[in-house]
């Protein structure tokens, strides 16, 4: 199984190198919020001067803290550098920053072929890795509307339904929380029955566009539903610049990866496959400069 997955991943890489997935983003939907074009360093320089409206907005967001036992149970490894497993996410972060700056992107979706592959784990760890990059502001959104999981990691006491915010019934300040200085998180405390219809709704596009304009995040990470279980993820692809697919060793098939690749084509740019749950040994020593 793992060998077949490796073959599928190598095939996807070859396709990207042959320009099967062009660097230019496919034509976005009219309501898709614009990508950030100014370098993050310039934004950080502005933030060090007089407070901007987005500075004030970020500062006003309710701050949350991670609970250590919960962090361990949910396999969160990137909030600090105590676990060497953070290195893989940091490497991915660095590669993504380069891709974003090379292409003028700032919005990425994280999805999987089916449930149970670990996409939410990847999205959360990736967001916390970006949060350790002081010159970047990162926004993590739980857009798996039928099966929200991020709340269990970041706010086990619960959160308001994100549908209230997306439909314009509640303000941004009540829907988004903040971890540290530069990570904002849009949590969802309730399953959305008509989730695809909510995503397609014109008002949702306007709300997301307004959120991007007001917050001006440097990086946006969206935890999407699995691609092959509903049309929710497909409906949301027009809002992002690129997508990462999380596959599970021993569970995801090569055909499922290829099916997802075909679904991405013409809708967004495919960054690649992350193979999760692989049995690979890891040293506990880590690596540090003296």
């Amino acid at each position: 199984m793992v060998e077949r997955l490796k073959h599928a991943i190598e095939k996807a890489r070859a396709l990207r190198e042959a320009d099967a997935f062009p660097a230019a983003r496919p034509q976005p939907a009219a309501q898709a919020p614009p990508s950030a074009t100014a370098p993050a360093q310039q934004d950080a320089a502005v933030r060090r001067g007089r407070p901007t409206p987005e500075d004030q907005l970020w500062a006003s967001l309710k701050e949350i803290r991670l609970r250590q036992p919960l962090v361990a149970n949910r396999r969160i490894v990137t909030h600090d550098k105590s676990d060497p497993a953070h290195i893989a996410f940091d490497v991915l972060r660095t590669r993504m920053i380069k891709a974003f700056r090379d292409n003028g992107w700032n919005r990425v979706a994280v999805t999987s072929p089916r449930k149970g592959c670990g996409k939410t784990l990847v999205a959360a760890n990736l967001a916390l890795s970006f949060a350790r990059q002081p010159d970047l502001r990162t926004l993590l959104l739980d857009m798996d509307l039928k099966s929200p999981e991020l709340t269990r990691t970041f706010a086990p006491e619960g959160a308001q339904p994100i549908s209230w915010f997306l439909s314009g019934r509640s303000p941004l300040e009540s829907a988004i929380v903040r971890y540290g200085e530069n990570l904002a998180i849009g949590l969802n405390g309730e399953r959305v029955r008509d989730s695809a219809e909510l995503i397609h709704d014109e008002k949702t596009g306007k709300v997301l566009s307004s959120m991007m304009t007001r917050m001006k995040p440097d990086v946006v990470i969206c935890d999407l539903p699995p691609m092959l279980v509903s049309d929710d993820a497909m409906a949301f692809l027009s809002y992002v610049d690129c997508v990462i697919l999380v596959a599970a060793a021993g569970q995801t098939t090569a055909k499922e990866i290829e099916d997802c690749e075909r679904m991405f084509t013409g809708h967004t740019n495919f960054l690649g496959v992350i193979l999760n749950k692989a049995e690979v040994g890891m040293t506990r020593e880590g690596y540090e400069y003296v």
Side-chain angles (χ1 to χ4, degrees), residues 257-268:
I257 293 177
E258 293 169 355
D259 288 344
C260 291
E261 289 178 33
R262 284 193 291 269
M263 296 173 75
F264 298 148
T265 303
H267 294 278
T268 192

PDB file of all heavy atoms in Angstrom, residues 257-268:
ATOM      1  N   ILE A 257      -5.944   9.403  -4.402  1.00  0.00           N
ATOM      2  CA  ILE A 257      -5.079  10.563  -4.632  1.00  0.00           C
ATOM      3  C   ILE A 257      -5.254  11.083  -6.046  1.00  0.00           C
ATOM      4  O   ILE A 257      -5.393  12.295  -6.263  1.00  0.00           O
ATOM      5  CB  ILE A 257      -3.604  10.193  -4.363  1.00  0.00           C
ATOM      6  CG1 ILE A 257      -3.392   9.902  -2.878  1.00  0.00           C
ATOM      7  CG2 ILE A 257      -2.673  11.309  -4.828  1.00  0.00           C
ATOM      8  CD1 ILE A 257      -1.985   9.465  -2.532  1.00  0.00           C
ATOM      9  N   GLU A 258      -5.265  10.174  -7.021  1.00  0.00           N
ATOM     10  CA  GLU A 258      -5.427  10.590  -8.411  1.00  0.00           C
ATOM     11  C   GLU A 258      -6.796  11.226  -8.643  1.00  0.00           C
ATOM     12  O   GLU A 258      -6.917  12.203  -9.393  1.00  0.00           O
ATOM     13  CB  GLU A 258      -5.223   9.387  -9.332  1.00  0.00           C
ATOM     14  CG  GLU A 258      -3.787   8.876  -9.325  1.00  0.00           C
ATOM     15  CD  GLU A 258      -3.637   7.542 -10.031  1.00  0.00           C
ATOM     16  OE1 GLU A 258      -4.674   6.962 -10.445  1.00  0.00           O
ATOM     17  OE2 GLU A 258      -2.490   7.075 -10.164  1.00  0.00           O
ATOM     18  N   ASP A 259      -7.841  10.701  -7.985  1.00  0.00           N
ATOM     19  CA  ASP A 259      -9.176  11.287  -8.118  1.00  0.00           C
ATOM     20  C   ASP A 259      -9.187  12.720  -7.585  1.00  0.00           C
ATOM     21  O   ASP A 259      -9.788  13.612  -8.188  1.00  0.00           O
ATOM     22  CB  ASP A 259     -10.208  10.449  -7.355  1.00  0.00           C
ATOM     23  CG  ASP A 259     -10.504   9.120  -8.036  1.00  0.00           C
ATOM     24  OD1 ASP A 259     -10.159   8.970  -9.228  1.00  0.00           O
ATOM     25  OD2 ASP A 259     -11.075   8.231  -7.367  1.00  0.00           O
ATOM     26  N   CYS A 260      -8.512  12.941  -6.457  1.00  0.00           N
ATOM     27  CA  CYS A 260      -8.449  14.284  -5.883  1.00  0.00           C
ATOM     28  C   CYS A 260      -7.671  15.235  -6.783  1.00  0.00           C
ATOM     29  O   CYS A 260      -8.058  16.397  -6.956  1.00  0.00           O
ATOM     30  CB  CYS A 260      -7.817  14.237  -4.490  1.00  0.00           C
ATOM     31  SG  CYS A 260      -8.841  13.438  -3.234  1.00  0.00           S
ATOM     32  N   GLU A 261      -6.581  14.752  -7.361  1.00  0.00           N
ATOM     33  CA  GLU A 261      -5.791  15.583  -8.284  1.00  0.00           C
ATOM     34  C   GLU A 261      -6.663  16.082  -9.428  1.00  0.00           C
ATOM     35  O   GLU A 261      -6.606  17.255  -9.810  1.00  0.00           O
ATOM     36  CB  GLU A 261      -4.616  14.776  -8.846  1.00  0.00           C
ATOM     37  CG  GLU A 261      -3.514  14.485  -7.848  1.00  0.00           C
ATOM     38  CD  GLU A 261      -2.426  13.634  -8.493  1.00  0.00           C
ATOM     39  OE1 GLU A 261      -2.192  13.809  -9.708  1.00  0.00           O
ATOM     40  OE2 GLU A 261      -1.830  12.809  -7.796  1.00  0.00           O
ATOM     41  N   ARG A 262      -7.478  15.182  -9.988  1.00  0.00           N
ATOM     42  CA  ARG A 262      -8.354  15.583 -11.102  1.00  0.00           C
ATOM     43  C   ARG A 262      -9.372  16.623 -10.647  1.00  0.00           C
ATOM     44  O   ARG A 262      -9.718  17.539 -11.408  1.00  0.00           O
ATOM     45  CB  ARG A 262      -9.063  14.349 -11.672  1.00  0.00           C
ATOM     46  CG  ARG A 262      -8.173  13.479 -12.550  1.00  0.00           C
ATOM     47  CD  ARG A 262      -8.984  12.465 -13.325  1.00  0.00           C
ATOM     48  NE  ARG A 262      -9.551  11.446 -12.435  1.00  0.00           N
ATOM     49  CZ  ARG A 262      -8.935  10.303 -12.141  1.00  0.00           C
ATOM     50  NH1 ARG A 262      -7.739  10.047 -12.652  1.00  0.00           N
ATOM     51  NH2 ARG A 262      -9.501   9.434 -11.339  1.00  0.00           N
ATOM     52  N   MET A 263      -9.845  16.514  -9.408  1.00  0.00           N
ATOM     53  CA  MET A 263     -10.823  17.470  -8.893  1.00  0.00           C
ATOM     54  C   MET A 263     -10.201  18.849  -8.676  1.00  0.00           C
ATOM     55  O   MET A 263     -10.873  19.868  -8.821  1.00  0.00           O
ATOM     56  CB  MET A 263     -11.428  16.942  -7.592  1.00  0.00           C
ATOM     57  CG  MET A 263     -12.231  15.659  -7.768  1.00  0.00           C
ATOM     58  SD  MET A 263     -12.773  14.927  -6.197  1.00  0.00           S
ATOM     59  CE  MET A 263     -14.096  16.057  -5.763  1.00  0.00           C
ATOM     60  N   PHE A 264      -8.907  18.886  -8.345  1.00  0.00           N
ATOM     61  CA  PHE A 264      -8.234  20.171  -8.139  1.00  0.00           C
ATOM     62  C   PHE A 264      -7.994  20.906  -9.460  1.00  0.00           C
ATOM     63  O   PHE A 264      -8.020  22.140  -9.505  1.00  0.00           O
ATOM     64  CB  PHE A 264      -6.880  19.969  -7.456  1.00  0.00           C
ATOM     65  CG  PHE A 264      -6.954  19.357  -6.091  1.00  0.00           C
ATOM     66  CD1 PHE A 264      -5.932  18.524  -5.624  1.00  0.00           C
ATOM     67  CD2 PHE A 264      -8.025  19.601  -5.253  1.00  0.00           C
ATOM     68  CE1 PHE A 264      -5.986  17.963  -4.372  1.00  0.00           C
ATOM     69  CE2 PHE A 264      -8.090  19.036  -3.981  1.00  0.00           C
ATOM     70  CZ  PHE A 264      -7.073  18.214  -3.546  1.00  0.00           C
ATOM     71  N   THR A 265      -7.758  20.134 -10.522  1.00  0.00           N
ATOM     72  CA  THR A 265      -7.375  20.731 -11.803  1.00  0.00           C
ATOM     73  C   THR A 265      -8.440  21.711 -12.287  1.00  0.00           C
ATOM     74  O   THR A 265      -9.621  21.389 -12.362  1.00  0.00           O
ATOM     75  CB  THR A 265      -7.166  19.630 -12.860  1.00  0.00           C
ATOM     76  OG1 THR A 265      -6.183  18.708 -12.386  1.00  0.00           O
ATOM     77  CG2 THR A 265      -6.704  20.237 -14.178  1.00  0.00           C
ATOM     78  N   GLY A 266      -8.001  22.925 -12.604  1.00  0.00           N
ATOM     79  CA  GLY A 266      -8.908  23.948 -13.090  1.00  0.00           C
ATOM     80  C   GLY A 266      -9.587  24.748 -12.002  1.00  0.00           C
ATOM     81  O   GLY A 266     -10.271  25.729 -12.290  1.00  0.00           O
ATOM     82  N   HIS A 267      -9.399  24.334 -10.732  1.00  0.00           N
ATOM     83  CA  HIS A 267     -10.042  25.031  -9.622  1.00  0.00           C
ATOM     84  C   HIS A 267      -9.045  25.741  -8.708  1.00  0.00           C
ATOM     85  O   HIS A 267      -9.335  26.799  -8.175  1.00  0.00           O
ATOM     86  CB  HIS A 267     -10.886  24.053  -8.794  1.00  0.00           C
ATOM     87  CG  HIS A 267     -12.065  23.504  -9.531  1.00  0.00           C
ATOM     88  ND1 HIS A 267     -13.254  24.178  -9.662  1.00  0.00           N
ATOM     89  CD2 HIS A 267     -12.227  22.332 -10.205  1.00  0.00           C
ATOM     90  CE1 HIS A 267     -14.104  23.455 -10.373  1.00  0.00           C
ATOM     91  NE2 HIS A 267     -13.504  22.332 -10.712  1.00  0.00           N
ATOM     92  N   THR A 268      -7.890  25.115  -8.506  1.00  0.00           N
ATOM     93  CA  THR A 268      -6.865  25.722  -7.662  1.00  0.00           C
ATOM     94  C   THR A 268      -5.537  25.051  -7.966  1.00  0.00           C
ATOM     95  O   THR A 268      -5.470  24.096  -8.744  1.00  0.00           O
ATOM     96  CB  THR A 268      -7.222  25.589  -6.169  1.00  0.00           C
ATOM     97  OG1 THR A 268      -6.356  26.417  -5.383  1.00  0.00           O
ATOM     98  CG2 THR A 268      -7.087  24.147  -5.689  1.00  0.00           C
TER      99      THR A 268
END
